Amino acid sequence: MITSQKIDEWINRAKIEKFEQYKENESKSYLVKNTKKEKLYDYYICDYCRLPIKFYPNQKSYEREGGKATIPNSLIGKGNIIIMAHNRCIKSLIKEVEEILGRN
C-alpha cells in the first residue's frame, strides 16, 4: 500500500540503500579466526512489496527480477522519483501512485 508520505520519502531520500548477502561460515571451530566471508549476492528492497530484489554476480540484466525505475515528473508533478521495484510490482506501483496524486 502506497501513501503520500511514502512518496514524499522517495522524493527526499538521498540514494537507494544497497544490501549484501554473505555465505554462512561452515566451520564451527572456535579456533578458526579471520575467515573470509563469501559474498552471494547484492540486493535492494522493493519499494512496493518490501521483498528483496536480488542481483547475482555475472547475471545478465534481462535475467534480473527487477531494478531501478524512474517515475517521471510528467506523471507526478513533484519531480522525477527513482524507485526500486520487481518487474511484477511496477504496474501496480505506478497505478497506486497515479491514484494517490490524482486525488490531490
Side-chain angles (χ1 to χ4, degrees):
M1 180 85 179
I2 307 240
T3 62
S4 58
Q5 292 85 11
K6 187 56 107 172
I7 294 171
D8 291 336
E9 286 178 22
W10 295 342
I11 292 171
N12 296 327
R13 70 180 167 193
K15 66 176 191 170
I16 298 172
E17 192 172 355
K18 177 179 165 181
F19 302 95
E20 296 175 343
Q21 182 68 38
Y22 290 95
K23 186 175 183 179
E24 295 283 328
N25 283 342
E26 295 167 2
S27 174
K28 303 289 184 188
S29 172
Y30 65 91
L31 298 175
V32 177
K33 293 182 181 178
N34 298 331
T35 58
K36 282 191 170 184
K37 293 182 181 179
E38 184 180 341
K39 183 175 169 181
L40 296 176
Y41 55 84
D42 294 326
Y43 67 96
Y44 295 88
I45 302 297
C46 178
D47 288 325
Y48 185 72
C49 67
R50 310 302 302 159
L51 294 174
I53 303 170
K54 299 174 185 173
F55 290 89
Y56 293 99
N58 302 324
Q59 185 180 30
K60 306 286 185 201
S61 61
Y62 59 85
E63 295 172 339
R64 293 184 179 156
E65 55 190 34
K68 287 184 184 179
T70 302
I71 301 176
N73 182 30
S74 61
L75 181 64
I76 295 174
K78 293 186 176 184
N80 293 340
I81 299 176
I82 298 175
I83 58 166
M84 288 299 291
H86 288 102
N87 296 335
R88 64 180 180 266
C89 296
I90 192 71
K91 284 184 181 180
S92 303
L93 185 140
I94 290 175
K95 182 179 176 185
E96 285 190 28
V97 168
E98 286 177 332
E99 288 174 1
I100 290 170
L101 296 176
R103 289 186 215 148
N104 294 340

